Amino acid sequence: MATKSKKKPLPKKKPAAGKSRTTKSVKTARAAKPGRAAGTDPKRVAAILAKLDEAYPNATCELKHENAFQLLVSTILSAQCTDVRVNQVAETLYKKYPDPKAFAYATPSELEQEIRPTGFFRNKTKSVMGASKAIIEKFGGQVPRTMEEILTLPGVARKTANVVLGTAYGIASGVVVDTHVLRLSKRLDLSRNEDPKKVEEDLMKIIPQEKWIQFSHQIIWHGRRVCFARKPKCVECNMESLCYAKDKTV
Ligand code: SF4
């Protein structure tokens, strides 16, 4: 009669120090391509976009403007300032300075006083006057319509360029990455980069181009209304089931 061989049971593999993860998080991490945040699985991204459409179907830029030039000026003024404050200043500003010519040949000290409430008014005055001069001298008085050209204007970086091209002209040349988009991209694990340029590149890879403009508006609205920097109102968030941010409040 054959005797059963008594094999020693193999020792269970222990996870390496600092690598103990839940099955769920391992699965999620495996779904991501190297170099991408784990939350970029196309189905998850599509679900986030659907939730944003559901919550903010009419999200738009909150800077009041009547044309591309006013939006450009207001966006320059909005650096480190609220849209509400910029809109207050803009109300009288565009009556006194109705076009690029008026800004380009303004008296700097007078213009500084007008835009003082928005902060950093000396630098902003230089940027607005410089951009206005360039618009007159190089672009026939019109805000240019390409990323390459608009980036040549003084005081205009990608964020401002994307706001103007997207909102004023409907041209999707990138994704606006402001403080809200930066914070929410991290919380929603759509990017693990810190540098706005890299975050924008990450977002452009995972979001369909036809959604770039609306996505920026919707995320900014969500950041202003629900997903605050401090104490986000997760209980009111329709993306709560999709979100695994460390600082969630539910
Ligand atoms: S669940 Fe909370 S942290 Fe996550 S997106 Fe919603 S509000 Fe922001």
Side-chain angles (χ1 to χ4, degrees):
M1 200 176 147
T3 51
K4 277 185 187 170
S5 63
K6 283 185 181 173
K7 274 187 186 171
K8 271 190 178 178
L10 287 168
K12 278 184 187 168
K13 268 190 184 175
K14 278 186 189 171
K19 291 214 170 175
S20 62
R21 291 183 289 189
T22 62
T23 318
K24 197 179 167 196
S25 68
V26 171
K27 272 185 190 166
T28 323
R30 274 186 193 146
K33 287 184 182 169
R36 281 193 181 180
T40 59
D41 172 73
K43 277 189 190 158
R44 181 176 185 270
V45 175
I48 289 172
L49 295 178
K51 292 282 183 190
L52 286 170
D53 281 345
E54 189 184 291
Y56 309 110
N58 303 314
T60 186
C61 179
E62 293 183 285
L63 289 171
K64 287 184 196 155
H65 60 280
E66 283 173 10
N67 51 51
F69 177 70
Q70 287 186 358
L71 181 58
L72 174 74
V73 173
S74 286
T75 309
I76 292 174
L77 299 185
S78 73
Q80 310 288 320
C81 182
T82 63
D83 285 3
V84 175
R85 176 69 57 87
V86 173
N87 286 339
Q88 283 166 355
V89 168
E91 224 166 273
T92 51
L93 187 66
Y94 299 133
K95 282 182 190 143
K96 280 195 185 170
Y97 304 88
D99 51 31
K101 231 180 184 176
F103 277 100
Y105 306 115
T107 306
S109 56
E110 277 177 26
L111 184 55
E112 279 178 3
Q113 290 316 307
E114 288 293 328
I115 63 179
R116 194 183 183 118
T118 69
F120 303 97
F121 58 94
R122 288 199 183 93
N123 275 342
K124 288 180 183 177
T125 299
K126 275 187 199 142
S127 295
V128 168
M129 289 184 69
S132 302
K133 273 182 196 146
I135 285 170
I136 295 167
E137 288 164 12
K138 292 199 228 157
F139 301 107
Q142 298 298 314
V143 178
R145 290 174 173 261
T146 67
M147 180 59 82
E148 211 188 350
E149 289 174 319
I150 202 168
L151 285 178
T152 66
L153 301 176
V156 175
R158 278 198 73 93
K159 190 195 85 173
T160 302
N162 278 323
V163 170
V164 175
L165 292 175
T167 301
Y169 293 145
I171 298 168
S173 49
V175 179
V176 175
V177 178
D178 73 344
T179 177
H180 300 291
V181 178
L182 212 51
R183 182 177 73 254
L184 270 73
S185 298
K186 195 171 185 180
R187 278 185 176 155
L188 289 167
D189 202 21
L190 299 176
S191 172
R192 288 184 181 173
N193 279 306
E194 307 283 339
D195 171 34
K197 215 173 161 194
K198 289 193 175 155
V199 172
E200 186 188 352
E201 283 167 14
D202 288 343
L203 295 174
M204 287 166 76
K205 279 181 206 148
I206 58 169
I207 294 162
Q209 190 172 5
E210 67 269 19
K211 286 285 203 181
W212 288 355
I213 299 171
Q214 195 62 1
F215 171 82
S216 311
H217 293 319
Q218 290 169 327
I219 285 283
I220 292 168
W221 276 40
H222 192 57
R224 285 182 177 153
R225 289 157 178 78
V226 180
C227 193
F228 304 133
R230 276 187 217 162
K231 291 192 189 164
K233 286 203 262 175
C234 303
V235 68
E236 290 179 23
C237 177
N238 74 340
M239 291 186 283
E240 195 272 314
S241 62
L242 292 161
C243 179
Y244 46 88
K246 277 188 200 153
D247 52 351
K248 254 172 84 170
T249 54
V250 285

